[in-house]
Amino acid sequence: MAFSIFSAQQKPVQIAFLSDIHFQDLYGSFSDNDFKGITNPKTGKPTILRTMDAQLHSTRIFNENYFALLKALDDIAGKGIKIVTMPGDFSDDGQAYNLRGLHKILAKYHQQYGVEFYMTTGNHDPVGPFRQDSGKDDFLGEDGYPLGIYSKGNIGKTNRKITTRDIAESGYLEILDELKDFGFYPKKNDLFWGTPFTKYSPKEYSYEKALQDVDYTKRMYNVTEGFPVPDLSYVAEPVQGIWLMAIDGNTYIPKNLHESFRNPGNYNGASIGYNNVLTHKKHLIDWVKRTLDEAKKNDKIVIAFTHYPMIDFNDGATPELKSLLGEKKWQMERVPEEDVAKAFAEAGLQIHFAGHMHINDTGIRNIDGSMLVNVQVPSLAAYIPAYKVLTIHSSDRFEVQTEVLNDVPRFNELFPLYEKEYNVLAKDGNKKLWNKDILKSSSYHDFMLFHLKELVRLRMIPDEWPKDFIEKTKNFTGEDLLLLIQTKDQLLKMKVDQQAYRKWKMEDLLLDLYKFQSADELAKKDIPSERLQQYKTIEELFSACQGRDSLITNLKKVFKILSLLSNGDPADHFEVNLKKNSIIKL
């Protein structure tokens, strides 16, 4: 079937996917407090920023992603791309001042370059279905000490604080009010727009009719009997023949069924993702099926995006990871059950873009003769910082390209403020210090790689790995690992230059493991090729080793995980062919 959008004269339609921006407005202001932040000696500008210590203990940075967003949007505008989708976590935690700041930036790119934005919600926007008081105790104060900013005076762990209602976590209502222009409401130019609750068909569509269905009160469902909460899912047709399906995958389940549904503190977070959709939000799957049936009838291509992955993102390493680290580590609770992919594939979905995990990955499931592809969009606020571009060549041929942000103007603008923070921390001497060398980073890419390195050292290794395993192996070099399972004579016979394996230690190996988890095949650019080859050799030797010793068994698992994570499906530049049910690396 030939689609009108694929006439020979027209350029293929391109869509950019920007996920997990976690926008925090460095240069924002509060509506009820004069605090504008602390003065940056480099620029003279007041800046509202979080401490470096806080961002090096978090799976995302809070500050520099502001500049990364501007760079990504400049890139996208420069490429002439007119459609940008945002699969959730577009804000730090849905705070009013951050939503206003984001609105301002997106409106500017819409006015200047004609870019249309389509968003869906993530577990950080909103944090719960209704507005709730909150705040953070790790902003940077003028004197280099942490400063708390809270929406009420009686919350928070620190006495050094200011209060503003603009730091509260917004609920769906406030997010809808502030960001309705970015997909949550129909746009005048949309050829079609609907929600899971609309009754009209595409043939009966009109903008006026759609406007009657946008109200918050008309987009509610019972997450549990007696607990009505909003669902901001929608489908939009920005250009002839293409439907963007924005699935609101947030499922906020009440903790106590005897509480009022209006109590904002009575809901669990949504970070588990689709596993809870299967049990508490089944109407979404019915809606996806109805929409895809309708799309087929009307010759439309459906591109779906949500915050949460639909397919396991560990490249087949989940069983090994569970057995090595335990059921609750490595964000295991976020791995979607196989029933998720099955439910959506059976509903007819074929292409889905997701965020949430801050990783670059592609997952594929072939179910009853049809293929579901889940593309994980990396975060701009974590390693590897990137966005994805989808090019629609025909109704069954799609190209996906990963655009890495290596250089970001102004990424080091805040470094003088971190110097101040470091000096205070060093003077106090009561905390494990972050490594000041991060302030020597020469590019955004290097900065984000350093962030990962510090995150692994300060949080991942202490929190996720068995203490005795780390204790036993921490001083091992590659050569030590070789000699655990081979004698020097055996290595000689195999022509293995064991001295070359002395160049790296166990900490390098574990960091490389996290690089592959985060960046997939793109991590290879950040690991010496000689070392990659050495990993392969050791993995083969461990795999053949019959030793029953627990250390050997665990190291076997480590190398199996490394091998699986470094050999997943194409995740950089590839083609999805729905006719052949295949993915081809480009």
Side-chain angles (χ1 to χ4, degrees):
M1 176 80 209
F3 283 75
S4 57
I5 50 168
F6 302 120
S7 62
Q9 301 78 34
Q10 278 179 303
K11 273 171 62 181
V13 174
Q14 289 195 304
I15 302 166
F17 292 82
L18 272 181
S19 194
D20 295 83
I21 293 158
H22 289 285
F23 179 81
Q24 180 178 273
D25 197 355
L26 295 173
Y27 305 110
S29 59
F30 302 129
S31 57
D32 56 355
N33 191 307
D34 294 339
F35 182 75
K36 292 268 193 297
I38 66 172
T39 306
N40 186 341
K42 184 176 177 180
T43 60
K45 277 186 358 197
T47 311
I48 304 172
L49 79 159
R50 310 273 281 283
T51 65
M52 177 63 87
D53 189 61
Q55 52 182 11
L56 292 179
H57 282 82
S58 168
T59 51
R60 66 184 198 268
I61 56 166
F62 303 118
N63 304 324
E64 285 67 27
N65 39 326
Y66 178 96
F67 307 115
L69 172 63
L70 299 179
K71 166 66 176 163
L73 291 173
D74 286 342
D75 254 20
I76 288 162
K79 288 183 170 81
I81 296 171
K82 299 298 182 196
I83 303 170
V84 174
T85 63
M86 300 170 82
D89 282 5
F90 44 76
S91 69
D92 174 54
D93 267 329
Q95 306 95 334
Y97 85 103
N98 289 325
L99 298 178
R100 286 197 299 268
L102 182 61
H103 183 145
K104 214 190 227 154
I105 288 172
L106 301 186
K108 179 187 157 204
Y109 281 85
H110 170 65
Q111 282 148 13
Q112 272 186 3
Y113 304 104
V115 177
E116 294 291 354
F117 294 92
Y118 293 86
M119 293 178 155
T120 186
T121 51
N123 57 305
H124 283 269
D125 32 47
V127 174
F130 309 112
R131 182 188 180 278
Q132 52 194 325
D133 282 303
S134 188
K136 312 277 181 194
D137 53 16
D138 54 19
F139 284 88
L140 191 60
E142 195 66 69
D143 52 7
Y145 283 94
L147 171 74
I149 304 183
Y150 294 98
S151 57
K152 268 166 75 174
N154 62 349
I155 56 176
K157 289 183 282 209
T158 174
N159 296 323
R160 303 160 40 78
K161 61 179 157 189
I162 64 162
T163 56
T164 166
R165 58 176 282 108
D166 289 354
I167 197 88
E169 293 163 353
S170 300
Y172 273 113
L173 182 62
E174 294 78 16
I175 285 171
L176 191 58
D177 280 350
E178 186 62 58
L179 300 173
K180 56 179 176 278
D181 297 344
F182 307 113
F184 293 124
Y185 273 29
K187 302 169 193 274
K188 274 197 175 138
N189 297 340
D190 286 338
L191 302 169
F192 176 64
W193 187 94
T195 77
F197 312 103
T198 45
K199 298 285 185 276
Y200 50 77
S201 72
K203 294 216 171 18
E204 302 160 336
Y205 177 73
S206 74
Y207 174 64
E208 290 68 31
K209 206 175 268 186
L211 280 181
Q212 292 167 19
D213 272 357
V214 297
D215 193 77
Y216 172 81
T217 54
K218 293 184 178 173
R219 299 164 83 170
M220 308 284 267
Y221 73 104
N222 271 331
V223 64
T224 296
E225 197 51 49
F227 285 85
V229 293
D231 171 4
L232 293 193
S233 303
Y234 63 90
V235 60
E237 185 172 3
V239 290
Q240 178 69 42
I242 292 171
W243 280 6
L244 291 178
M245 180 181 253
I247 304 173
D248 174 359
N250 288 342
T251 313
Y252 296 107
I253 301 171
K255 299 172 191 171
N256 180 352
L257 298 182
H258 304 295
E259 280 274 355
S260 158
F261 78 87
R262 288 190 180 84
N263 175 2
N266 188 36
Y267 291 88
N268 288 301
S271 69
I272 286 170
Y274 272 120
N275 293 341
N276 284 342
V277 166
L278 292 188
T279 53
H280 286 75
K281 211 172 182 178
K282 290 189 181 126
H283 73 270
L284 273 186
I285 298 159
D286 297 336
W287 172 64
V288 169
K289 187 175 185 342
R290 285 198 315 275
T291 305
L292 284 151
D293 289 346
E294 200 68 58
K296 212 173 201 170
K297 262 191 289 189
N298 292 281
D299 296 330
K300 308 293 182 189
I301 291 169
V302 177
I303 306 296
F305 64 103
T306 341
H307 189 52
Y308 305 101
M310 284 184 174
I311 291 174
D312 186 331
F313 40 79
N314 287 323
D315 298 315
T318 293
E320 299 290 336
L321 283 160
K322 280 184 177 176
S323 138
L324 178 66
L325 305 177
E327 300 274 332
K328 296 268 189 274
K329 306 293 183 185
W330 201 270
Q331 304 196 58
M332 279 304 158
E333 72 285 354
R334 294 181 170 195
V335 175
E337 291 157 13
E338 284 303 314
D339 285 352
V340 170
K342 191 169 183 292
F344 283 99
E346 285 172 352
L349 195 60
Q350 291 178 293
I351 295 188
H352 177 258
F353 285 78
H356 192 42
M357 299 311 301
H358 302 183
I359 62 171
N360 179 45
D361 183 64
T362 309
I364 305 163
R365 289 292 180 272
N366 284 294
I367 293 161
D368 299 332
S370 68
M371 178 171 71
L372 171 65
V373 180
N374 182 85
V375 180
Q376 282 300 128
V377 182
S379 168
L380 296 187
Y383 174 84
I384 194 165
Y387 63 94
K388 300 266 182 184
V389 176
L390 171 71
T391 305
I392 302 173
H393 290 292
S394 73
S395 56
D396 48 29
R397 199 165 69 80
F398 306 84
E399 182 184 344
V400 179
Q401 174 108 39
T402 311
E403 299 288 352
V404 180
L405 298 187
N406 287 312
D407 296 301
V408 168
R410 297 168 63 192
F411 83 95
N412 55 1
E413 191 166 296
L414 311 176
F415 284 15
L417 294 167
Y418 299 136
E419 292 266 0
K420 195 181 220 181
E421 175 199 342
Y422 185 89
N423 294 338
V424 163
L425 276 175
K427 199 171 71 201
D428 273 14
N430 59 0
K431 201 164 180 182
K432 194 172 184 181
L433 274 179
W434 47 270
N435 186 342
K436 201 178 173 187
D437 287 348
I438 192 168
L439 303 182
K440 293 177 186 165
S441 301
S442 58
S443 67
Y444 190 61
H445 171 274
D446 292 351
F447 180 74
M448 295 314 298
L449 186 51
F450 210 117
H451 172 261
L452 179 72
K453 191 176 170 181
E454 282 292 85
L455 179 64
V456 169
R457 179 178 77 93
L458 296 169
R459 176 172 157 181
M460 299 310 190
I461 300 292
D463 290 0
E464 296 197 327
W465 289 75
K467 281 189 174 50
D468 61 329
F469 175 75
I470 295 299
E471 210 44 55
K472 274 180 195 157
T473 59
K474 68 178 180 193
N475 295 318
F476 280 10
T477 63
E479 183 185 32
D480 296 325
L481 290 167
L482 273 178
L483 293 171
L484 275 179
I485 46 168
Q486 297 286 303
T487 65
K488 289 183 177 183
D489 288 345
Q490 285 171 315
L491 292 171
L492 210 58
K493 209 177 276 179
M494 288 163 59
K495 297 195 170 64
V496 171
D497 173 12
Q498 65 185 70
Q499 288 193 356
Y501 286 69
R502 284 179 196 165
K503 290 179 193 168
W504 52 272
K505 292 172 77 169
M506 196 66 189
E507 64 182 349
D508 300 306
L509 166 70
L510 293 180
L511 175 61
D512 290 344
L513 200 62
Y514 281 98
K515 283 181 200 167
F516 277 120
Q517 181 208 13
S518 305
D520 204 286
E521 62 183 288
L522 294 169
K524 288 178 180 169
K525 292 174 183 163
D526 290 320
I527 303 168
S529 53
E530 180 190 38
R531 196 192 302 167
L532 287 170
Q533 197 47 54
Q534 290 170 350
Y535 286 159
K536 209 174 165 194
T537 303
I538 299 182
E539 200 255 326
E540 284 163 7
L541 291 171
F542 266 99
S543 171
C545 171
Q546 299 300 311
R548 289 268 177 264
D549 174 71
S550 68
L551 181 63
I552 301 286
T553 309
N554 283 338
L555 284 164
K556 235 181 183 174
K557 288 173 194 166
V558 169
F559 281 101
K560 176 86 184 288
I561 292 162
L562 185 66
S563 172
L564 289 165
L565 291 179
S566 58
N567 290 293
D569 291 304
D572 176 16
H573 187 196
F574 55 92
E575 179 183 291
V576 177
N577 190 313
L578 296 179
K579 199 178 258 174
K580 297 179 181 166
N581 276 356
S582 68
I583 283 198
I584 303 134
K585 189 177 165 70
L586 296 176

mmCIF file with all atom_site columns, all heavy atoms in Angstrom, residues 47 60 132 182-183 199 246 252 368 396 417 439 442 455 470 489:
data_model
loop_
_atom_site.group_PDB
_atom_site.id
_atom_site.type_symbol
_atom_site.label_atom_id
_atom_site.label_alt_id
_atom_site.label_comp_id
_atom_site.label_asym_id
_atom_site.label_entity_id
_atom_site.label_seq_id
_atom_site.pdbx_PDB_ins_code
_atom_site.Cartn_x
_atom_site.Cartn_y
_atom_site.Cartn_z
_atom_site.occupancy
_atom_site.B_iso_or_equiv
_atom_site.pdbx_formal_charge
_atom_site.auth_seq_id
_atom_site.auth_comp_id
_atom_site.auth_asym_id
_atom_site.auth_atom_id
_atom_site.pdbx_PDB_model_num
ATOM 1   N N   . THR A 1 47  ? 22.642  31.531  40.068 1.00 0.00 ? 47  THR A N   1
ATOM 2   C CA  . THR A 1 47  ? 22.393  30.181  39.555 1.00 0.00 ? 47  THR A CA  1
ATOM 3   C C   . THR A 1 47  ? 21.788  29.310  40.654 1.00 0.00 ? 47  THR A C   1
ATOM 4   O O   . THR A 1 47  ? 22.310  29.269  41.769 1.00 0.00 ? 47  THR A O   1
ATOM 5   C CB  . THR A 1 47  ? 23.733  29.553  39.089 1.00 0.00 ? 47  THR A CB  1
ATOM 6   O OG1 . THR A 1 47  ? 24.408  30.485  38.244 1.00 0.00 ? 47  THR A OG1 1
ATOM 7   C CG2 . THR A 1 47  ? 23.519  28.267  38.344 1.00 0.00 ? 47  THR A CG2 1
ATOM 8   N N   . ARG A 1 60  ? 21.834  10.273  37.614 1.00 0.00 ? 60  ARG A N   1
ATOM 9   C CA  . ARG A 1 60  ? 21.775  11.346  36.615 1.00 0.00 ? 60  ARG A CA  1
ATOM 10  C C   . ARG A 1 60  ? 22.432  12.586  37.199 1.00 0.00 ? 60  ARG A C   1
ATOM 11  O O   . ARG A 1 60  ? 22.518  12.733  38.412 1.00 0.00 ? 60  ARG A O   1
ATOM 12  C CB  . ARG A 1 60  ? 20.318  11.664  36.268 1.00 0.00 ? 60  ARG A CB  1
ATOM 13  C CG  . ARG A 1 60  ? 19.537  12.264  37.434 1.00 0.00 ? 60  ARG A CG  1
ATOM 14  C CD  . ARG A 1 60  ? 18.080  12.465  37.056 1.00 0.00 ? 60  ARG A CD  1
ATOM 15  N NE  . ARG A 1 60  ? 17.370  13.385  37.928 1.00 0.00 ? 60  ARG A NE  1
ATOM 16  C CZ  . ARG A 1 60  ? 16.690  13.037  39.003 1.00 0.00 ? 60  ARG A CZ  1
ATOM 17  N NH1 . ARG A 1 60  ? 16.662  11.775  39.376 1.00 0.00 ? 60  ARG A NH1 1
ATOM 18  N NH2 . ARG A 1 60  ? 16.036  13.948  39.708 1.00 0.00 ? 60  ARG A NH2 1
ATOM 19  N N   . GLN A 1 132 ? 2.183   17.361  45.701 1.00 0.00 ? 132 GLN A N   1
ATOM 20  C CA  . GLN A 1 132 ? 2.547   17.131  47.105 1.00 0.00 ? 132 GLN A CA  1
ATOM 21  C C   . GLN A 1 132 ? 3.747   17.977  47.517 1.00 0.00 ? 132 GLN A C   1
ATOM 22  O O   . GLN A 1 132 ? 4.627   18.264  46.718 1.00 0.00 ? 132 GLN A O   1
ATOM 23  C CB  . GLN A 1 132 ? 2.811   15.651  47.382 1.00 0.00 ? 132 GLN A CB  1
ATOM 24  C CG  . GLN A 1 132 ? 3.785   14.957  46.474 1.00 0.00 ? 132 GLN A CG  1
ATOM 25  C CD  . GLN A 1 132 ? 3.726   13.438  46.614 1.00 0.00 ? 132 GLN A CD  1
ATOM 26  O OE1 . GLN A 1 132 ? 3.497   12.924  47.695 1.00 0.00 ? 132 GLN A OE1 1
ATOM 27  N NE2 . GLN A 1 132 ? 3.936   12.730  45.525 1.00 0.00 ? 132 GLN A NE2 1
ATOM 28  N N   . PHE A 1 182 ? 2.289   20.946  24.324 1.00 0.00 ? 182 PHE A N   1
ATOM 29  C CA  . PHE A 1 182 ? 3.322   20.022  23.824 1.00 0.00 ? 182 PHE A CA  1
ATOM 30  C C   . PHE A 1 182 ? 2.799   18.590  23.712 1.00 0.00 ? 182 PHE A C   1
ATOM 31  O O   . PHE A 1 182 ? 3.418   17.640  24.142 1.00 0.00 ? 182 PHE A O   1
ATOM 32  C CB  . PHE A 1 182 ? 4.556   20.125  24.718 1.00 0.00 ? 182 PHE A CB  1
ATOM 33  C CG  . PHE A 1 182 ? 5.044   21.546  24.873 1.00 0.00 ? 182 PHE A CG  1
ATOM 34  C CD1 . PHE A 1 182 ? 4.967   22.205  26.096 1.00 0.00 ? 182 PHE A CD1 1
ATOM 35  C CD2 . PHE A 1 182 ? 5.514   22.251  23.776 1.00 0.00 ? 182 PHE A CD2 1
ATOM 36  C CE1 . PHE A 1 182 ? 5.371   23.530  26.218 1.00 0.00 ? 182 PHE A CE1 1
ATOM 37  C CE2 . PHE A 1 182 ? 5.928   23.574  23.885 1.00 0.00 ? 182 PHE A CE2 1
ATOM 38  C CZ  . PHE A 1 182 ? 5.850   24.220  25.117 1.00 0.00 ? 182 PHE A CZ  1
ATOM 39  N N   . GLY A 1 183 ? 1.596   18.480  23.089 1.00 0.00 ? 183 GLY A N   1
ATOM 40  C CA  . GLY A 1 183 ? 1.032   17.163  22.790 1.00 0.00 ? 183 GLY A CA  1
ATOM 41  C C   . GLY A 1 183 ? -0.124  16.762  23.679 1.00 0.00 ? 183 GLY A C   1
ATOM 42  O O   . GLY A 1 183 ? -1.015  16.032  23.246 1.00 0.00 ? 183 GLY A O   1
ATOM 43  N N   . LYS A 1 199 ? -14.585 9.216   22.028 1.00 0.00 ? 199 LYS A N   1
ATOM 44  C CA  . LYS A 1 199 ? -15.571 8.336   21.382 1.00 0.00 ? 199 LYS A CA  1
ATOM 45  C C   . LYS A 1 199 ? -15.596 8.506   19.855 1.00 0.00 ? 199 LYS A C   1
ATOM 46  O O   . LYS A 1 199 ? -16.141 7.688   19.148 1.00 0.00 ? 199 LYS A O   1
ATOM 47  C CB  . LYS A 1 199 ? -16.976 8.630   21.948 1.00 0.00 ? 199 LYS A CB  1
ATOM 48  C CG  . LYS A 1 199 ? -17.120 8.359   23.450 1.00 0.00 ? 199 LYS A CG  1
ATOM 49  C CD  . LYS A 1 199 ? -17.206 6.860   23.751 1.00 0.00 ? 199 LYS A CD  1
ATOM 50  C CE  . LYS A 1 199 ? -17.477 6.600   25.231 1.00 0.00 ? 199 LYS A CE  1
ATOM 51  N NZ  . LYS A 1 199 ? -16.240 6.610   26.046 1.00 0.00 ? 199 LYS A NZ  1
ATOM 52  N N   . ALA A 1 246 ? 1.398   8.370   22.314 1.00 0.00 ? 246 ALA A N   1
ATOM 53  C CA  . ALA A 1 246 ? 2.071   8.710   23.572 1.00 0.00 ? 246 ALA A CA  1
ATOM 54  C C   . ALA A 1 246 ? 1.365   7.955   24.696 1.00 0.00 ? 246 ALA A C   1
ATOM 55  O O   . ALA A 1 246 ? 0.242   8.289   25.063 1.00 0.00 ? 246 ALA A O   1
ATOM 56  C CB  . ALA A 1 246 ? 1.994   10.213  23.809 1.00 0.00 ? 246 ALA A CB  1
ATOM 57  N N   . TYR A 1 252 ? 0.123   4.607   39.414 1.00 0.00 ? 252 TYR A N   1
ATOM 58  C CA  . TYR A 1 252 ? 0.273   4.974   40.825 1.00 0.00 ? 252 TYR A CA  1
ATOM 59  C C   . TYR A 1 252 ? -0.739  4.180   41.658 1.00 0.00 ? 252 TYR A C   1
ATOM 60  O O   . TYR A 1 252 ? -1.929  4.481   41.645 1.00 0.00 ? 252 TYR A O   1
ATOM 61  C CB  . TYR A 1 252 ? 0.082   6.482   41.002 1.00 0.00 ? 252 TYR A CB  1
ATOM 62  C CG  . TYR A 1 252 ? 1.155   7.276   40.290 1.00 0.00 ? 252 TYR A CG  1
ATOM 63  C CD1 . TYR A 1 252 ? 0.879   7.974   39.122 1.00 0.00 ? 252 TYR A CD1 1
ATOM 64  C CD2 . TYR A 1 252 ? 2.462   7.288   40.773 1.00 0.00 ? 252 TYR A CD2 1
ATOM 65  C CE1 . TYR A 1 252 ? 1.874   8.683   38.458 1.00 0.00 ? 252 TYR A CE1 1
ATOM 66  C CE2 . TYR A 1 252 ? 3.459   8.000   40.110 1.00 0.00 ? 252 TYR A CE2 1
ATOM 67  C CZ  . TYR A 1 252 ? 3.161   8.684   38.957 1.00 0.00 ? 252 TYR A CZ  1
ATOM 68  O OH  . TYR A 1 252 ? 4.154   9.372   38.299 1.00 0.00 ? 252 TYR A OH  1
ATOM 69  N N   . ASP A 1 368 ? 4.488   -14.785 17.570 1.00 0.00 ? 368 ASP A N   1
ATOM 70  C CA  . ASP A 1 368 ? 3.468   -15.249 16.602 1.00 0.00 ? 368 ASP A CA  1
ATOM 71  C C   . ASP A 1 368 ? 3.635   -14.586 15.236 1.00 0.00 ? 368 ASP A C   1
ATOM 72  O O   . ASP A 1 368 ? 2.669   -14.066 14.649 1.00 0.00 ? 368 ASP A O   1
ATOM 73  C CB  . ASP A 1 368 ? 2.040   -14.971 17.134 1.00 0.00 ? 368 ASP A CB  1
ATOM 74  C CG  . ASP A 1 368 ? 1.776   -15.712 18.446 1.00 0.00 ? 368 ASP A CG  1
ATOM 75  O OD1 . ASP A 1 368 ? 2.408   -16.773 18.642 1.00 0.00 ? 368 ASP A OD1 1
ATOM 76  O OD2 . ASP A 1 368 ? 0.974   -15.230 19.262 1.00 0.00 ? 368 ASP A OD2 1
ATOM 77  N N   . ASP A 1 396 ? 7.178   -0.007  5.977  1.00 0.00 ? 396 ASP A N   1
ATOM 78  C CA  . ASP A 1 396 ? 7.813   -1.132  6.680  1.00 0.00 ? 396 ASP A CA  1
ATOM 79  C C   . ASP A 1 396 ? 9.336   -1.008  6.785  1.00 0.00 ? 396 ASP A C   1
ATOM 80  O O   . ASP A 1 396 ? 10.017  -1.935  7.175  1.00 0.00 ? 396 ASP A O   1
ATOM 81  C CB  . ASP A 1 396 ? 7.434   -2.482  6.039  1.00 0.00 ? 396 ASP A CB  1
ATOM 82  C CG  . ASP A 1 396 ? 7.582   -2.473  4.533  1.00 0.00 ? 396 ASP A CG  1
ATOM 83  O OD1 . ASP A 1 396 ? 8.447   -1.722  4.042  1.00 0.00 ? 396 ASP A OD1 1
ATOM 84  O OD2 . ASP A 1 396 ? 6.823   -3.200  3.857  1.00 0.00 ? 396 ASP A OD2 1
ATOM 85  N N   . LEU A 1 417 ? 31.873  27.133  40.860 1.00 0.00 ? 417 LEU A N   1
ATOM 86  C CA  . LEU A 1 417 ? 30.996  26.926  42.027 1.00 0.00 ? 417 LEU A CA  1
ATOM 87  C C   . LEU A 1 417 ? 31.308  25.586  42.696 1.00 0.00 ? 417 LEU A C   1
ATOM 88  O O   . LEU A 1 417 ? 31.257  25.464  43.921 1.00 0.00 ? 417 LEU A O   1
ATOM 89  C CB  . LEU A 1 417 ? 29.530  26.992  41.602 1.00 0.00 ? 417 LEU A CB  1
ATOM 90  C CG  . LEU A 1 417 ? 29.070  28.381  41.111 1.00 0.00 ? 417 LEU A CG  1
ATOM 91  C CD1 . LEU A 1 417 ? 27.725  28.319  40.427 1.00 0.00 ? 417 LEU A CD1 1
ATOM 92  C CD2 . LEU A 1 417 ? 29.028  29.378  42.271 1.00 0.00 ? 417 LEU A CD2 1
ATOM 93  N N   . LEU A 1 439 ? 36.643  18.202  37.314 1.00 0.00 ? 439 LEU A N   1
ATOM 94  C CA  . LEU A 1 439 ? 36.615  19.605  36.883 1.00 0.00 ? 439 LEU A CA  1
ATOM 95  C C   . LEU A 1 439 ? 37.675  19.906  35.827 1.00 0.00 ? 439 LEU A C   1
ATOM 96  O O   . LEU A 1 439 ? 37.782  21.024  35.335 1.00 0.00 ? 439 LEU A O   1
ATOM 97  C CB  . LEU A 1 439 ? 36.776  20.540  38.092 1.00 0.00 ? 439 LEU A CB  1
ATOM 98  C CG  . LEU A 1 439 ? 35.734  20.355  39.215 1.00 0.00 ? 439 LEU A CG  1
ATOM 99  C CD1 . LEU A 1 439 ? 35.949  21.363  40.334 1.00 0.00 ? 439 LEU A CD1 1
ATOM 100 C CD2 . LEU A 1 439 ? 34.306  20.436  38.680 1.00 0.00 ? 439 LEU A CD2 1
ATOM 101 N N   . SER A 1 442 ? 37.447  17.933  29.530 1.00 0.00 ? 442 SER A N   1
ATOM 102 C CA  . SER A 1 442 ? 37.597  18.866  28.408 1.00 0.00 ? 442 SER A CA  1
ATOM 103 C C   . SER A 1 442 ? 36.396  18.848  27.458 1.00 0.00 ? 442 SER A C   1
ATOM 104 O O   . SER A 1 442 ? 36.330  19.632  26.526 1.00 0.00 ? 442 SER A O   1
ATOM 105 C CB  . SER A 1 442 ? 38.875  18.533  27.626 1.00 0.00 ? 442 SER A CB  1
ATOM 106 O OG  . SER A 1 442 ? 38.789  17.197  27.172 1.00 0.00 ? 442 SER A OG  1
ATOM 107 N N   . LEU A 1 455 ? 30.188  7.531   39.955 1.00 0.00 ? 455 LEU A N   1
ATOM 108 C CA  . LEU A 1 455 ? 28.953  6.867   40.395 1.00 0.00 ? 455 LEU A CA  1
ATOM 109 C C   . LEU A 1 455 ? 29.240  5.396   40.728 1.00 0.00 ? 455 LEU A C   1
ATOM 110 O O   . LEU A 1 455 ? 28.769  4.873   41.740 1.00 0.00 ? 455 LEU A O   1
ATOM 111 C CB  . LEU A 1 455 ? 27.910  6.975   39.279 1.00 0.00 ? 455 LEU A CB  1
ATOM 112 C CG  . LEU A 1 455 ? 26.549  6.328   39.540 1.00 0.00 ? 455 LEU A CG  1
ATOM 113 C CD1 . LEU A 1 455 ? 25.832  7.000   40.703 1.00 0.00 ? 455 LEU A CD1 1
ATOM 114 C CD2 . LEU A 1 455 ? 25.679  6.394   38.286 1.00 0.00 ? 455 LEU A CD2 1
ATOM 115 N N   . ILE A 1 470 ? 34.229  -8.199  46.136 1.00 0.00 ? 470 ILE A N   1
ATOM 116 C CA  . ILE A 1 470 ? 35.005  -6.979  45.852 1.00 0.00 ? 470 ILE A CA  1
ATOM 117 C C   . ILE A 1 470 ? 36.311  -6.998  46.653 1.00 0.00 ? 470 ILE A C   1
ATOM 118 O O   . ILE A 1 470 ? 37.386  -6.664  46.133 1.00 0.00 ? 470 ILE A O   1
ATOM 119 C CB  . ILE A 1 470 ? 34.168  -5.711  46.169 1.00 0.00 ? 470 ILE A CB  1
ATOM 120 C CG1 . ILE A 1 470 ? 32.959  -5.606  45.228 1.00 0.00 ? 470 ILE A CG1 1
ATOM 121 C CG2 . ILE A 1 470 ? 35.013  -4.439  46.117 1.00 0.00 ? 470 ILE A CG2 1
ATOM 122 C CD1 . ILE A 1 470 ? 33.289  -5.500  43.746 1.00 0.00 ? 470 ILE A CD1 1
ATOM 123 N N   . ASP A 1 489 ? 52.946  -21.911 31.897 1.00 0.00 ? 489 ASP A N   1
ATOM 124 C CA  . ASP A 1 489 ? 53.316  -22.766 30.749 1.00 0.00 ? 489 ASP A CA  1
ATOM 125 C C   . ASP A 1 489 ? 52.166  -22.869 29.749 1.00 0.00 ? 489 ASP A C   1
ATOM 126 O O   . ASP A 1 489 ? 52.385  -22.801 28.535 1.00 0.00 ? 489 ASP A O   1
ATOM 127 C CB  . ASP A 1 489 ? 53.704  -24.180 31.227 1.00 0.00 ? 489 ASP A CB  1
ATOM 128 C CG  . ASP A 1 489 ? 55.053  -24.164 31.947 1.00 0.00 ? 489 ASP A CG  1
ATOM 129 O OD1 . ASP A 1 489 ? 55.770  -23.138 31.813 1.00 0.00 ? 489 ASP A OD1 1
ATOM 130 O OD2 . ASP A 1 489 ? 55.371  -25.142 32.652 1.00 0.00 ? 489 ASP A OD2 1
#
